[in-house]
Amino acid sequence: MREFARSLTPRSIMTGSIVLYAVVLVMVLFPPAYMSVSGMRNPVILGLPFVVFYYIFNAALLGVGLTVLYRIEDLRGELDERRIQEGE
Amino acid sequence: MVVSLGMLTVFYLIVIGILYTTRRKAATKSFSEYAVGGRAYGPWFVAMSYVNSWWPGSTFIAFFGMAAGAGIFGFYGLAYSTLGVGLMYFLATRAWRWGAAYDLQSQPDLLGKRFDSHAVRVISSVVGVIAVFPWVVLGMQALGELFHVASGGTWSIAVSLVVGIAVIVIRQIWTVNMGMRGLIMTDMFQGVVAYGLSTLIGVIMLTGMGNSPISLSKLATIPEQFLRIPGDGGSYGPLYWFALIFTGVIGALCWPMSFQRIYTASSVRAVKASTTRTMLISGVFYTVLMLVGMAAVTVPEVAADPQGGWFTLLDQFGGTWLTGLAVVTVFAAAMGHIDGSVQVSGLQIANDIVQRPGKPLSDRQLTYIAKGSMAGFMLLATVVAFTTFNMTRLQLLAQISYQLVVQISVPLFLGIFWRGGNKYGAAAGMVFGSLVASIMTFFFPDDIPALGSLTGGIVGLAVNLVVYLVVYAVMGQGEEERERVAQFFEVAQHPTRRLGAAVAEPVLVASGADELRDEDSEL
């Protein structure tokens, strides 16, 4: 994981983050997207009607995505002001 | 009645006990210490404080009522809160570094610095304080309802209102005296009770254990009408759902309480870590609460009164003791929200409205004014809470305030991520956007049918954005202003250490600087 995190370029990390946020944004905010799941009961996933699962999934996707981003930034040493300054 | 009121009393005394314990530990008396706790807090404290200021007590009443009365409708709160809190992650580095470098205390402080304009700072502060006010009043009135339930209906609404307001006013003595430090310490305890305990109870109920009146299995069979998104048939247009969530997303960082959490954090790491934890706590809590609400749509007593559904369900599940717990969870959430609102309003009045450019007030003066403002704010809210009880127009004011506060987003987001724009466009955009949003919301409190059910706030935002861009296109930036903005953004490119109060210039981290506290310190 550490090697993978360090092999990424800042541009690829930024692009990935923006794409993740944009995907969730579109899925919950774009009228054709949310209207397409309105009223959908099936498939029932984990006991949840699909439209309910859809909104929980989107929230979880963003939460997990940002947690992974945090982990990547942590492994790259980009979160500690002192270490960045010292060039560690 | 005795059990519920007894549990409330025990909870209240623990909160007071925490405040006294914290007060003994408070070290310095600088305004930075008072306003943002000396920028000393780690991720869990910031996260819980954020969650406390995010979900008011009415989450268990109004939002729960949406899920229990209209099904999927309630989940719009999950969508906007997740996306909104997530935004904090992306602006954490810049906002925190500017805060630390320039000793910023509040969101208007940042806007004033970014646009080099006292007018922008005052306008954004006034909008924020006005927007928060109706929610404090509504929170106080909700406490009246709460004590009515806690007394088993034996206290009249009027008596319950007096008790509820008295309890929260007394609580503010410590909020005013101690500022952010006392707030954050109690937020942790209040949050565990409000969001942790309710989540645990919700999960147990969803498993169908014991005499649970609901279970997860009921969700798969609820009538289809509860699965339909507003705008898919019915009276709303197709853009209503978009308007609700979009306003929530961009409003997330416009609320003064939300943004101030960035400045209480000890580091960029703490802000980012707290963001992921806020999403975890908030997402799990709210999801469970909404699932409980949706599963309860088939319970007749809940269908008859969806907004009282949380109390009804817990009474059916566990009788007196669980009703007592239900009351305590709502009380804890309400208290956390009111505390945060009062604190940040007083802070902004002192720091951003009273303080004038070129005449900086001393830390002592700022602290006194902030305390006086909090007391005045609370006094005014108390009077309005009494006089407007049972007035539906107050709810309208709260709706307007939400559409109003998002007008800060144009200069805030564009100012943070783009070097363009100027102070004239920022100020004029907020003023015109707020006027349009208020007027439109007054005439169309819920939605504007002719615009596909968009809300007044969205129309105001569009006006706001156009004004911001047009003024910039016409006036541009002078050479001096361009250079100033470039330097401002340059500061955000470099690691920055926290400053004490009254330091105006950015100071970059010196190698091995021993002033830098542990990045992961909790306190």
Side-chain angles (χ1 to χ4, degrees):
Chain A
M1 179 68 181
R2 184 183 295 271
E3 292 307 313
F4 170 73
R6 287 184 173 169
S7 70
L8 297 169
T9 63
R11 179 178 289 274
S12 63
I13 294 172
M14 184 188 292
T15 305
S17 309
I18 292 172
V19 167
L20 170 76
Y21 195 85
V23 165
V24 176
L25 205 63
V26 168
M27 286 176 79
V28 302
L29 268 181
F30 188 49
Y34 62 69
M35 281 305 174
S36 70
V37 297
S38 176
M40 271 183 76
R41 185 189 308 279
N42 296 310
V44 174
I45 301 175
L46 301 172
L48 303 171
F50 185 75
V51 62
V52 176
F53 174 81
Y54 181 86
Y55 276 92
I56 295 175
F57 173 78
N58 278 305
L61 181 65
L62 189 60
V64 171
L66 286 186
T67 304
V68 170
L69 176 60
Y70 174 81
R71 184 74 182 132
I72 288 173
E73 290 184 332
D74 186 23
L75 288 171
R76 291 167 61 86
E78 294 174 351
L79 296 172
D80 296 312
E81 304 283 83
R82 179 166 44 188
R83 288 181 192 160
I84 298 168
Q85 181 70 15
E86 292 173 351
E88 286 184 16
Chain B
M1 171 180 169
V2 174
V3 171
S4 294
L5 292 176
M7 291 169 82
L8 276 177
T9 305
V10 170
F11 169 80
Y12 195 74
L13 290 176
I14 293 174
V15 170
I16 303 300
I18 292 171
L19 287 166
Y20 271 107
T21 306
T22 312
R23 185 158 74 172
R24 284 204 298 272
K25 291 179 180 173
T28 66
K29 291 183 178 176
S30 72
F31 187 61
S32 183
E33 167 68 32
Y34 184 74
V36 292
R39 293 180 220 281
Y41 290 90
W44 282 112
F45 280 93
V46 176
M48 197 57 105
S49 179
Y50 194 7
V51 175
N52 258 258
S53 65
W54 185 256
W55 299 116
S58 63
T59 308
F60 293 90
I61 299 167
F63 282 83
F64 187 92
M66 274 191 275
I72 193 69
F73 202 150
F75 274 88
Y76 94 91
L78 178 66
Y80 86 71
S81 58
T82 311
L83 282 160
V85 172
L87 265 183
M88 186 193 269
Y89 194 97
F90 296 109
L91 54 79
T93 302
R94 290 181 182 198
W96 191 89
R97 284 178 178 173
W98 281 324
Y102 298 111
D103 199 33
L104 305 179
Q105 315 289 345
S106 65
Q107 173 206 70
D109 220 354
L110 171 64
L111 283 169
K113 191 75 185 171
R114 162 65 178 84
F115 292 98
D116 191 26
S117 165
H118 186 60
V120 169
R121 183 171 167 181
V122 170
I123 291 168
S124 58
S125 188
V126 168
V127 168
V129 173
I130 288 176
V132 163
F133 186 76
W135 293 93
V136 172
V137 174
L138 285 171
M140 294 169 99
Q141 293 180 343
L143 286 179
E145 302 274 2
L146 190 74
F147 276 90
H148 184 63
V149 173
S151 69
T154 55
W155 292 356
S156 70
I157 289 289
V159 170
S160 302
L161 182 64
V162 171
V163 174
I165 291 177
V167 165
I168 201 67
V169 167
I170 290 170
R171 165 67 179 87
Q172 300 315 307
I173 291 170
W174 290 278
T175 302
V176 171
N177 271 332
M178 298 178 60
M180 185 54 80
R181 182 173 291 273
L183 208 67
I184 288 193
M185 297 309 292
T186 50
D187 275 346
M188 181 55 81
F189 174 65
Q190 289 164 182
V192 168
V193 172
Y195 314 108
L197 199 56
S198 61
T199 302
L200 181 65
I201 295 169
V203 168
I204 293 172
M205 277 200 291
L206 286 169
T207 63
M209 286 168 63
N211 297 319
S212 175
I214 58 141
S215 71
L216 194 63
S217 61
K218 289 187 178 178
L219 272 176
T221 59
I222 62 173
E224 189 191 330
Q225 72 198 68
F226 293 104
L227 302 177
R228 290 203 170 277
I229 286 170
D232 181 15
S235 58
Y236 289 120
L239 296 178
Y240 186 64
W241 190 246
F242 160 81
L244 282 183
I245 297 177
F246 186 70
T247 307
V249 172
I250 58 170
L253 286 168
C254 294
W255 288 106
M257 297 86 77
S258 300
F259 203 88
Q260 199 194 19
R261 297 301 174 263
I262 293 175
Y263 294 149
T264 60
S266 60
S267 62
V268 170
R269 171 191 284 279
V271 181
K272 290 191 170 183
S274 72
T275 302
T276 58
R277 291 168 199 189
T278 299
M279 290 176 77
L280 177 70
I281 300 167
S282 181
V284 171
F285 152 71
Y286 191 81
T287 299
V288 169
L289 191 70
M290 291 302 102
L291 290 178
V292 170
M294 278 191 83
V297 299
T298 53
V299 177
E301 293 83 355
V302 175
D305 176 23
Q307 299 217 356
W310 177 245
F311 302 110
T312 305
L313 282 182
L314 266 66
D315 182 51
Q316 289 186 3
F317 186 36
T320 309
W321 286 96
L322 272 190
T323 303
L325 272 184
V327 168
V328 171
T329 55
V330 179
F331 183 64
M335 188 188 274
H337 190 259
I338 293 173
D339 291 347
S341 303
V342 170
Q343 201 269 352
V344 80
S345 297
L347 162 68
Q348 286 198 179
I349 291 170
N351 189 59
D352 307 313
I353 299 175
V354 175
Q355 185 165 234
R356 314 295 301 174
K359 294 180 181 175
L361 298 170
S362 68
D363 279 14
R364 178 184 287 268
Q365 288 171 317
L366 277 170
T367 307
Y368 278 141
I369 294 169
K371 287 181 176 180
S373 302
M374 286 179 208
F377 187 89
M378 202 61 193
L379 186 66
L380 189 60
T382 303
V383 172
V384 175
F386 271 113
T387 53
T388 61
F389 194 58
N390 284 334
M391 276 177 63
T392 53
R393 302 302 282 177
L394 190 66
Q395 188 67 40
L396 172 60
L397 273 184
Q399 282 172 263
I400 291 176
S401 78
Y402 207 94
Q403 311 298 338
L404 195 64
V405 80
V406 296
Q407 305 307 323
I408 297 171
S409 67
V410 172
L412 184 65
F413 292 151
L414 290 182
I416 287 176
F417 291 114
W418 183 45
R419 298 181 187 212
N422 58 43
K423 59 185 177 185
Y424 304 107
M430 281 191 289
V431 169
F432 281 108
S434 298
L435 281 174
V436 170
S438 302
I439 293 167
M440 296 295 283
T441 309
F442 183 82
F443 288 108
F444 302 97
D446 202 5
D447 65 319
I448 304 168
L451 297 177
S453 283
L454 285 178
T455 54
I458 300 281
V459 179
L461 264 181
V463 171
N464 190 340
L465 181 62
V466 168
V467 170
Y468 185 95
L469 295 175
V470 166
V471 170
Y472 175 58
V474 172
M475 299 181 70
Q477 283 177 336
E479 189 58 40
E480 195 177 323
E481 172 70 355
R482 229 187 331 268
E483 178 63 25
R484 189 192 65 77
V485 173
Q487 282 182 2
F488 185 74
F489 274 80
E490 180 65 18
V491 167
Q493 297 299 315
H494 302 287
T496 307
R497 81 177 184 205
R498 285 172 293 175
L499 295 183
V503 179
E505 294 304 317
V507 177
L508 303 186
V509 173
S511 181
D514 55 10
E515 296 93 332
L516 189 73
R517 294 189 219 176
D518 182 3
E519 292 293 334
D520 280 323
S521 66
E522 291 290 320
L523 282 173

